[in-house]
Amino acid sequence: RLINEMDRIYKEGIAQDIKENGLENIILRELANHEAYYTGTIDDTFETLKPYKITEEQIWKMYRNKNAKLTNN
């Protein structure tokens, strides 16, 4: 029962994060948290965002868009 309650709270936390921040901002936040622009890899970001049902393709898209903006300035 405790495990079920903890699982429910965890899922509610993810839903709240998505509601408050949106998927794009969550992806950008986690790319920055895992220093993807320094390492050139999204592996840690992808693992972190699996519970959010965000695909690797979505992360790569945001990574490329943001990286292009960073390198064009």
Side-chain angles (χ1 to χ4, degrees):
R1 183 177 147 127
L2 175 62
I3 300 296
N4 289 337
E5 184 65 15
M6 290 177 68
D7 187 52
R8 183 188 64 77
I9 292 168
Y10 179 72
K11 289 176 181 176
E12 285 178 2
I14 290 172
Q16 185 72 25
D17 191 17
I18 293 169
K19 180 180 176 182
E20 290 180 5
N21 298 299
L23 289 178
E24 288 185 3
N25 287 328
I26 292 168
I27 293 169
L28 291 173
R29 176 188 72 206
E30 294 305 324
L31 285 168
N33 283 344
H34 295 284
E35 299 183 344
Y37 301 106
Y38 298 108
T39 64
T41 176
I42 65 160
D43 295 342
D44 293 335
T45 303
F46 178 61
E47 286 301 314
T48 298
L49 293 176
K50 276 185 178 179
Y52 286 73
K53 307 287 193 261
I54 295 174
T55 66
E56 191 170 9
E57 292 78 23
Q58 288 173 292
I59 298 169
W60 274 118
K61 181 180 177 184
M62 293 300 297
Y63 173 86
R64 289 183 190 110
N65 288 342
K66 180 71 173 186
N67 200 40
K69 289 178 186 175
L70 290 172
T71 56
N72 285 333
N73 291 332

Coordinates of all heavy atoms in Angstrom, one line a residue:
R1 N 0.8 -1.2 0.0 CA 0.0 0.0 0.0 C 0.9 1.3 0.0 O 0.6 2.2 -0.7 CB -0.9 -0.1 1.2 CG -1.9 1.1 1.3 CD -2.8 0.9 2.4 NE -3.1 2.2 3.0 CZ -4.3 2.6 3.2 NH1 -5.3 1.9 2.9 NH2 -4.5 3.8 3.7
L2 N 1.9 1.3 0.8 CA 2.8 2.4 0.8 C 3.5 2.6 -0.5 O 3.6 3.8 -1.0 CB 3.9 2.2 1.9 CG 5.0 3.3 2.0 CD1 4.3 4.6 2.4 CD2 6.0 2.9 3.0
I3 N 3.9 1.6 -1.1 CA 4.5 1.6 -2.5 C 3.5 2.2 -3.5 O 3.9 3.1 -4.3 CB 5.0 0.3 -2.9 CG1 6.0 -0.3 -2.0 CG2 5.6 0.3 -4.3 CD1 7.3 0.5 -1.8
N4 N 2.3 1.8 -3.4 CA 1.3 2.3 -4.4 C 1.1 3.8 -4.1 O 0.9 4.6 -5.1 CB 0.0 1.6 -4.2 CG 0.0 0.2 -4.7 OD1 0.9 -0.1 -5.6 ND2 -0.8 -0.7 -4.2
E5 N 1.1 4.3 -2.9 CA 0.9 5.7 -2.6 C 2.1 6.5 -3.1 O 1.9 7.6 -3.6 CB 0.7 5.9 -1.1 CG 0.4 7.3 -0.7 CD -0.9 7.8 -1.2 OE1 -1.8 7.1 -1.7 OE2 -1.1 9.1 -1.1
M6 N 3.3 6.0 -2.9 CA 4.5 6.7 -3.3 C 4.5 6.8 -4.8 O 4.9 7.8 -5.4 CB 5.7 6.0 -2.8 CG 5.9 6.1 -1.3 SD 7.3 5.2 -0.6 CE 8.6 6.1 -1.4
D7 N 4.1 5.7 -5.5 CA 4.0 5.7 -7.0 C 3.0 6.8 -7.5 O 3.3 7.5 -8.4 CB 3.6 4.3 -7.5 CG 3.7 4.2 -9.0 OD1 4.8 4.6 -9.5 OD2 2.7 3.8 -9.6
R8 N 1.9 6.9 -6.8 CA 0.9 7.8 -7.2 C 1.4 9.3 -7.0 O 1.2 10.1 -7.9 CB -0.4 7.7 -6.3 CG -1.5 8.6 -6.7 CD -2.7 8.5 -5.7 NE -2.3 9.0 -4.3 CZ -2.2 10.3 -4.0 NH1 -2.4 11.2 -4.8 NH2 -1.9 10.5 -2.7
I9 N 2.1 9.5 -5.9 CA 2.6 10.8 -5.6 C 3.7 11.2 -6.7 O 3.7 12.3 -7.2 CB 3.2 10.9 -4.2 CG1 2.1 10.8 -3.2 CG2 4.1 12.1 -4.0 CD1 2.6 10.6 -1.7
Y10 N 4.5 10.2 -7.0 CA 5.6 10.4 -8.0 C 4.9 10.8 -9.4 O 5.4 11.7 -10.0 CB 6.4 9.1 -8.1 CG 7.5 9.1 -9.2 CD1 8.6 9.9 -9.0 CD2 7.4 8.4 -10.4 CE1 9.6 9.9 -9.9 CE2 8.4 8.4 -11.3 CZ 9.5 9.1 -11.1 OH 10.5 9.2 -12.0
K11 N 3.9 10.0 -9.8 CA 3.2 10.3 -11.0 C 2.5 11.7 -11.0 O 2.5 12.4 -12.0 CB 2.2 9.2 -11.4 CG 2.9 7.9 -11.8 CD 2.0 6.8 -12.0 CE 2.7 5.5 -12.4 NZ 1.8 4.4 -12.5
E12 N 1.9 12.0 -9.9 CA 1.3 13.3 -9.8 C 2.4 14.4 -9.9 O 2.1 15.5 -10.4 CB 0.6 13.5 -8.5 CG -0.7 12.7 -8.4 CD -1.4 12.8 -7.1 OE1 -0.9 13.5 -6.1 OE2 -2.5 12.2 -7.0
G13 N 3.5 14.2 -9.3 CA 4.6 15.2 -9.4 C 5.0 15.4 -10.9 O 5.3 16.6 -11.3
I14 N 5.1 14.4 -11.6 CA 5.5 14.5 -13.1 C 4.4 15.2 -13.8 O 4.7 16.2 -14.6 CB 5.7 13.1 -13.7 CG1 7.0 12.5 -13.1 CG2 5.7 13.2 -15.2 CD1 7.2 11.0 -13.5
A15 N 3.1 14.9 -13.5 CA 2.0 15.6 -14.2 C 2.0 17.1 -13.8 O 1.8 18.0 -14.7 CB 0.7 15.0 -13.8
Q16 N 2.3 17.4 -12.6 CA 2.4 18.8 -12.1 C 3.5 19.5 -12.8 O 3.4 20.7 -13.3 CB 2.5 18.9 -10.6 CG 2.5 20.3 -10.1 CD 1.1 20.9 -10.1 OE1 0.1 20.2 -10.1 NE2 1.0 22.2 -10.1
D17 N 4.6 18.9 -12.9 CA 5.8 19.5 -13.6 C 5.5 19.8 -15.1 O 5.7 20.9 -15.6 CB 7.0 18.5 -13.5 CG 8.3 19.1 -14.0 OD1 8.4 20.4 -14.1 OD2 9.3 18.4 -14.2
I18 N 4.8 18.9 -15.8 CA 4.4 19.1 -17.2 C 3.4 20.2 -17.3 O 3.6 21.1 -18.1 CB 3.9 17.8 -17.8 CG1 5.0 16.7 -17.9 CG2 3.2 18.1 -19.1 CD1 4.5 15.3 -18.2
K19 N 2.5 20.3 -16.4 CA 1.5 21.3 -16.4 C 2.1 22.7 -16.1 O 1.8 23.7 -16.8 CB 0.4 21.0 -15.3 CG -0.7 22.1 -15.2 CD -1.7 21.7 -14.1 CE -2.7 22.8 -14.0 NZ -3.7 22.5 -12.9
E20 N 3.0 22.8 -15.2 CA 3.6 24.1 -14.8 C 4.7 24.5 -15.8 O 4.8 25.7 -16.0 CB 4.2 24.0 -13.4 CG 3.1 23.9 -12.3 CD 3.7 23.8 -10.9 OE1 5.0 23.9 -10.8 OE2 2.9 23.6 -10.0
N21 N 5.4 23.6 -16.4 CA 6.6 24.0 -17.1 C 6.5 23.7 -18.6 O 7.2 24.3 -19.4 CB 7.8 23.3 -16.6 CG 8.1 23.8 -15.2 OD1 8.3 24.9 -14.9 ND2 8.1 22.8 -14.2
G22 N 5.7 22.7 -19.0 CA 5.6 22.3 -20.4 C 6.8 21.4 -20.8 O 7.9 21.5 -20.2
L23 N 6.5 20.5 -21.7 CA 7.5 19.5 -22.1 C 8.8 20.1 -22.7 O 9.9 19.7 -22.4 CB 7.0 18.5 -23.1 CG 5.9 17.5 -22.6 CD1 5.4 16.6 -23.7 CD2 6.5 16.7 -21.5
E24 N 8.7 21.2 -23.5 CA 9.9 21.8 -24.1 C 10.8 22.4 -23.0 O 12.0 22.2 -23.0 CB 9.5 22.9 -25.1 CG 8.9 22.3 -26.4 CD 8.6 23.4 -27.4 OE1 9.0 24.6 -27.2 OE2 8.1 23.0 -28.5
N25 N 10.2 23.1 -22.0 CA 11.0 23.6 -21.0 C 11.6 22.6 -20.1 O 12.7 22.7 -19.6 CB 10.2 24.6 -20.1 CG 10.0 25.9 -20.9 OD1 10.8 26.4 -21.7 ND2 8.8 26.5 -20.6
I26 N 10.9 21.5 -19.9 CA 11.4 20.4 -19.1 C 12.7 19.8 -19.8 O 13.7 19.5 -19.2 CB 10.4 19.3 -18.8 CG1 9.3 19.9 -17.9 CG2 11.0 18.0 -18.3 CD1 8.1 19.1 -17.7
I27 N 12.5 19.6 -21.1 CA 13.6 19.0 -21.9 C 14.8 19.9 -21.8 O 16.0 19.5 -21.5 CB 13.2 18.8 -23.3 CG1 12.2 17.6 -23.4 CG2 14.5 18.4 -24.2 CD1 11.5 17.5 -24.8
L28 N 14.6 21.2 -22.0 CA 15.7 22.2 -22.0 C 16.4 22.2 -20.6 O 17.6 22.3 -20.4 CB 15.2 23.6 -22.4 CG 14.9 23.8 -23.8 CD1 14.2 25.1 -24.1 CD2 16.1 23.5 -24.7
R29 N 15.5 22.2 -19.5 CA 16.0 22.2 -18.2 C 17.0 21.0 -17.9 O 18.1 21.1 -17.4 CB 14.9 22.1 -17.2 CG 15.3 22.0 -15.7 CD 14.1 21.8 -14.8 NE 13.5 20.5 -15.0 CZ 12.3 20.1 -14.8 NH1 11.4 21.0 -14.4 NH2 11.9 18.9 -14.9
E30 N 16.5 19.8 -18.4 CA 17.3 18.6 -18.1 C 18.5 18.5 -19.0 O 19.5 18.0 -18.6 CB 16.4 17.3 -18.3 CG 15.3 17.3 -17.2 CD 15.9 17.3 -15.8 OE1 16.9 16.8 -15.5 OE2 15.2 17.9 -14.9
L31 N 18.4 19.0 -20.2 CA 19.7 19.1 -21.0 C 20.7 20.0 -20.3 O 21.9 19.6 -20.3 CB 19.3 19.7 -22.4 CG 18.6 18.8 -23.4 CD1 18.1 19.6 -24.6 CD2 19.5 17.6 -23.8
A32 N 20.3 21.1 -19.8 CA 21.2 21.9 -19.0 C 21.7 21.2 -17.8 O 22.9 21.3 -17.4 CB 20.5 23.3 -18.7
N33 N 20.8 20.6 -17.0 CA 21.2 19.9 -15.8 C 22.3 18.9 -16.0 O 23.1 18.6 -15.2 CB 20.0 19.3 -15.1 CG 19.1 20.3 -14.4 OD1 19.5 21.4 -14.1 ND2 17.9 19.9 -14.1
H34 N 22.2 18.2 -17.2 CA 23.1 17.1 -17.5 C 24.2 17.6 -18.4 O 25.0 16.8 -18.9 CB 22.4 15.9 -18.1 CG 21.4 15.3 -17.1 ND1 21.8 14.5 -16.1 CD2 20.1 15.4 -17.0 CE1 20.7 14.1 -15.4 NE2 19.7 14.7 -15.9
E35 N 24.4 18.9 -18.5 CA 25.5 19.5 -19.3 C 25.6 18.9 -20.7 O 26.7 18.7 -21.2 CB 26.7 19.4 -18.5 CG 26.6 20.2 -17.2 CD 27.9 20.2 -16.4 OE1 28.8 19.4 -16.7 OE2 28.0 21.1 -15.5
A36 N 24.5 18.7 -21.4 CA 24.5 18.0 -22.7 C 25.3 18.9 -23.7 O 25.9 18.3 -24.6 CB 23.1 17.8 -23.2
Y37 N 25.2 20.2 -23.6 CA 25.9 21.1 -24.5 C 27.4 21.0 -24.4 O 28.1 21.4 -25.3 CB 25.3 22.5 -24.5 CG 23.8 22.5 -24.7 CD1 22.9 22.7 -23.7 CD2 23.3 22.2 -26.0 CE1 21.6 22.6 -23.9 CE2 22.0 22.2 -26.2 CZ 21.1 22.4 -25.2 OH 19.7 22.3 -25.4
Y38 N 27.9 20.6 -23.2 CA 29.3 20.4 -23.0 C 29.8 19.0 -23.4 O 30.9 18.9 -24.0 CB 29.7 20.7 -21.6 CG 29.4 22.1 -21.1 CD1 28.4 22.3 -20.2 CD2 30.2 23.2 -21.5 CE1 28.1 23.6 -19.8 CE2 29.9 24.5 -21.1 CZ 28.8 24.7 -20.3 OH 28.6 25.9 -19.8
T39 N 29.0 18.0 -23.1 CA 29.4 16.7 -23.4 C 29.0 16.2 -24.8 O 29.6 15.2 -25.3 CB 28.7 15.7 -22.4 OG1 27.3 15.7 -22.6 CG2 29.0 16.1 -20.9
G40 N 28.0 16.8 -25.4 CA 27.6 16.4 -26.7 C 26.7 15.1 -26.7 O 26.5 14.5 -27.8
T41 N 26.2 14.7 -25.6 CA 25.4 13.5 -25.4 C 24.2 13.8 -24.6 O 24.2 14.6 -23.8 CB 26.2 12.4 -24.8 OG1 25.4 11.2 -24.6 CG2 26.8 12.7 -23.5
I42 N 23.1 13.1 -25.0 CA 21.8 13.3 -24.3 C 21.5 12.0 -23.4 O 20.3 11.9 -22.9 CB 20.7 13.6 -25.3 CG1 20.4 12.4 -26.2 CG2 21.0 14.9 -26.0 CD1 19.1 12.5 -26.9
D43 N 22.4 11.1 -23.3 CA 22.0 9.8 -22.6 C 21.5 10.0 -21.2 O 20.4 9.5 -20.9 CB 23.3 8.9 -22.5 CG 23.8 8.5 -23.9 OD1 23.0 8.6 -24.9 OD2 25.0 8.1 -24.0
D44 N 22.1 10.8 -20.4 CA 21.6 11.1 -19.0 C 20.3 11.8 -19.0 O 19.4 11.5 -18.2 CB 22.6 11.9 -18.2 CG 23.9 11.1 -18.0 OD1 23.9 9.9 -18.0 OD2 25.0 11.8 -17.8
T45 N 20.1 12.7 -20.0 CA 18.9 13.4 -20.1 C 17.7 12.5 -20.5 O 16.6 12.5 -19.9 CB 19.0 14.6 -21.1 OG1 20.0 15.5 -20.7 CG2 17.7 15.3 -21.2
F46 N 18.0 11.6 -21.4 CA 17.0 10.6 -21.9 C 16.6 9.7 -20.7 O 15.4 9.5 -20.5 CB 17.5 9.9 -23.0 CG 16.6 8.8 -23.5 CD1 15.3 9.1 -24.0 CD2 16.9 7.5 -23.5 CE1 14.4 8.2 -24.5 CE2 16.0 6.5 -24.0 CZ 14.8 6.9 -24.4
E47 N 17.6 9.2 -20.0 CA 17.2 8.3 -18.8 C 16.4 9.0 -17.8 O 15.4 8.5 -17.3 CB 18.5 7.8 -18.2 CG 19.3 6.8 -19.0 CD 18.4 5.5 -19.3 OE1 17.8 5.0 -18.4 OE2 18.4 5.1 -20.4
T48 N 16.7 10.3 -17.5 CA 15.9 11.1 -16.5 C 14.5 11.3 -17.0 O 13.6 11.3 -16.2 CB 16.6 12.4 -16.3 OG1 17.9 12.2 -15.7 CG2 15.9 13.3 -15.3
L49 N 14.3 11.5 -18.3 CA 13.0 11.9 -18.8 C 12.1 10.7 -19.2 O 11.0 10.9 -19.7 CB 13.1 12.9 -19.9 CG 13.7 14.2 -19.5 CD1 13.9 15.1 -20.7 CD2 12.8 14.9 -18.5
K50 N 12.6 9.5 -19.1 CA 11.8 8.3 -19.5 C 10.5 8.3 -18.8 O 9.5 8.0 -19.4 CB 12.6 7.0 -19.2 CG 13.5 6.6 -20.3 CD 14.2 5.3 -20.0 CE 15.1 4.8 -21.1 NZ 15.8 3.6 -20.8
P51 N 10.4 8.6 -17.5 CA 9.1 8.6 -16.8 C 8.1 9.6 -17.4 O 6.9 9.5 -17.2 CB 9.4 8.9 -15.3 CG 10.8 8.5 -15.2 CD 11.5 8.8 -16.5
Y52 N 8.6 10.6 -18.1 CA 7.8 11.6 -18.7 C 7.2 11.2 -20.0 O 6.5 12.0 -20.6 CB 8.6 12.9 -18.8 CG 8.9 13.7 -17.6 CD1 9.8 13.2 -16.6 CD2 8.2 14.9 -17.3 CE1 10.0 13.9 -15.4 CE2 8.4 15.6 -16.1 CZ 9.3 15.1 -15.2 OH 9.6 15.8 -14.0
K53 N 7.6 10.1 -20.5 CA 7.2 9.6 -21.8 C 7.7 10.5 -22.9 O 7.0 10.7 -23.9 CB 5.7 9.4 -21.9 CG 5.1 8.5 -20.8 CD 5.4 7.1 -20.9 CE 4.6 6.2 -20.0 NZ 5.2 5.8 -18.8
I54 N 8.9 11.1 -22.7 CA 9.5 11.9 -23.7 C 10.4 11.0 -24.5 O 11.2 10.3 -24.0 CB 10.2 13.1 -23.1 CG1 9.2 14.0 -22.4 CG2 11.1 13.8 -24.1 CD1 9.9 15.1 -21.6
T55 N 10.4 11.1 -25.9 CA 11.2 10.2 -26.7 C 12.6 10.8 -26.9 O 12.8 12.0 -26.7 CB 10.5 10.0 -28.1 OG1 10.5 11.3 -28.8 CG2 9.1 9.5 -28.0
E56 N 13.5 9.9 -27.3 CA 14.8 10.3 -27.6 C 14.8 11.3 -28.8 O 15.6 12.3 -28.8 CB 15.7 9.1 -27.9 CG 17.1 9.4 -28.0 CD 18.0 8.1 -28.1 OE1 17.4 7.0 -28.3 OE2 19.2 8.2 -28.0
E57 N 13.9 11.1 -29.7 CA 13.8 12.0 -30.9 C 13.4 13.4 -30.4 O 13.9 14.4 -31.0 CB 12.8 11.5 -31.9 CG 13.3 10.2 -32.6 CD 13.1 8.9 -31.7 OE1 12.3 8.9 -30.8 OE2 13.9 8.0 -32.0
Q58 N 12.5 13.5 -29.5 CA 12.1 14.8 -29.0 C 13.2 15.6 -28.3 O 13.4 16.8 -28.5 CB 10.9 14.7 -28.0 CG 9.6 14.3 -28.6 CD 8.6 14.0 -27.5 OE1 8.7 13.0 -26.7 NE2 7.6 14.9 -27.4
I59 N 14.0 14.8 -27.6 CA 15.2 15.4 -26.9 C 16.2 15.9 -27.9 O 16.7 17.0 -27.8 CB 15.8 14.4 -25.9 CG1 14.8 14.1 -24.8 CG2 17.1 15.0 -25.2 CD1 15.1 12.9 -23.9
W60 N 16.5 15.0 -28.9 CA 17.5 15.4 -29.9 C 17.0 16.7 -30.7 O 17.8 17.5 -31.0 CB 17.7 14.3 -30.9 CG 18.8 13.3 -30.5 CD1 18.6 12.0 -30.2 CD2 20.2 13.6 -30.2 NE1 19.8 11.4 -29.8 CE2 20.8 12.4 -29.8 CE3 21.0 14.8 -30.3 CZ2 22.1 12.3 -29.5 CZ3 22.3 14.7 -30.0 CH2 22.9 13.5 -29.6
K61 N 15.8 16.7 -31.0 CA 15.2 17.9 -31.7 C 15.5 19.2 -30.8 O 16.0 20.2 -31.4 CB 13.7 17.7 -31.9 CG 13.1 18.9 -32.7 CD 11.6 18.7 -32.9 CE 11.0 19.9 -33.6 NZ 9.6 19.8 -33.8
M62 N 15.1 19.2 -29.6 CA 15.4 20.3 -28.7 C 16.8 20.6 -28.6 O 17.2 21.8 -28.6 CB 14.7 20.1 -27.3 CG 13.2 20.0 -27.3 SD 12.4 21.5 -27.9 CE 12.9 22.7 -26.7
Y63 N 17.6 19.6 -28.4 CA 19.1 19.8 -28.3 C 19.6 20.5 -29.6 O 20.4 21.4 -29.4 CB 19.8 18.4 -28.1 CG 21.3 18.4 -28.2 CD1 22.0 18.7 -27.0 CD2 22.0 18.3 -29.4 CE1 23.4 18.8 -27.1 CE2 23.4 18.3 -29.4 CZ 24.0 18.6 -28.2 OH 25.4 18.6 -28.3
R64 N 19.3 20.0 -30.7 CA 19.8 20.6 -32.0 C 19.3 22.0 -32.1 O 20.1 22.9 -32.5 CB 19.3 19.7 -33.2 CG 20.1 18.4 -33.3 CD 19.6 17.6 -34.5 NE 20.2 16.3 -34.5 CZ 19.4 15.2 -34.3 NH1 18.1 15.3 -34.2 NH2 20.0 14.0 -34.2
N65 N 18.0 22.3 -31.8 CA 17.5 23.7 -32.0 C 18.2 24.6 -31.0 O 18.6 25.7 -31.4 CB 16.0 23.7 -31.7 CG 15.2 23.1 -32.8 OD1 15.6 22.9 -33.9 ND2 14.0 22.7 -32.4
K66 N 18.4 24.2 -29.8 CA 19.1 25.1 -28.8 C 20.5 25.2 -29.2 O 21.1 26.3 -29.1 CB 18.9 24.5 -27.4 CG 19.6 25.3 -26.3 CD 18.9 26.6 -26.1 CE 19.4 27.2 -24.8 NZ 18.7 28.4 -24.4
N67 N 21.2 24.1 -29.6 CA 22.6 24.2 -29.9 C 22.8 25.1 -31.1 O 23.8 25.8 -31.2 CB 23.1 22.8 -30.2 CG 24.6 22.7 -30.1 OD1 25.2 23.3 -29.2 ND2 25.2 21.9 -31.0
A68 N 21.9 25.1 -32.1 CA 22.1 25.9 -33.2 C 22.0 27.4 -32.8 O 22.7 28.2 -33.3 CB 21.0 25.6 -34.3
K69 N 21.1 27.7 -31.9 CA 20.9 29.1 -31.4 C 22.2 29.5 -30.7 O 22.6 30.6 -30.8 CB 19.7 29.2 -30.5 CG 18.4 29.1 -31.3 CD 17.2 29.2 -30.3 CE 15.9 28.9 -31.1 NZ 14.8 28.9 -30.1
L70 N 22.8 28.6 -29.9 CA 23.9 28.9 -29.1 C 25.2 29.2 -30.0 O 26.0 30.0 -29.7 CB 24.3 27.8 -28.1 CG 23.3 27.6 -27.0 CD1 23.7 26.3 -26.2 CD2 23.3 28.8 -26.0
T71 N 25.3 28.4 -31.1 CA 26.4 28.5 -31.9 C 26.3 29.6 -33.0 O 27.3 30.1 -33.6 CB 26.8 27.2 -32.7 OG1 25.6 26.8 -33.4 CG2 27.1 26.1 -31.7
N72 N 25.1 30.1 -33.2 CA 24.9 31.2 -34.2 C 25.0 32.6 -33.5 O 25.0 33.6 -34.2 CB 23.5 31.1 -34.8 CG 23.5 30.0 -35.9 OD1 24.5 29.6 -36.4 ND2 22.3 29.4 -36.0
N73 N 25.2 32.7 -32.2 CA 25.3 34.0 -31.6 C 26.7 34.3 -31.3 O 27.6 33.7 -31.3 CB 24.6 34.0 -30.2 CG 23.0 33.9 -30.5 OD1 22.6 34.4 -31.5 ND2 22.3 33.4 -29.5

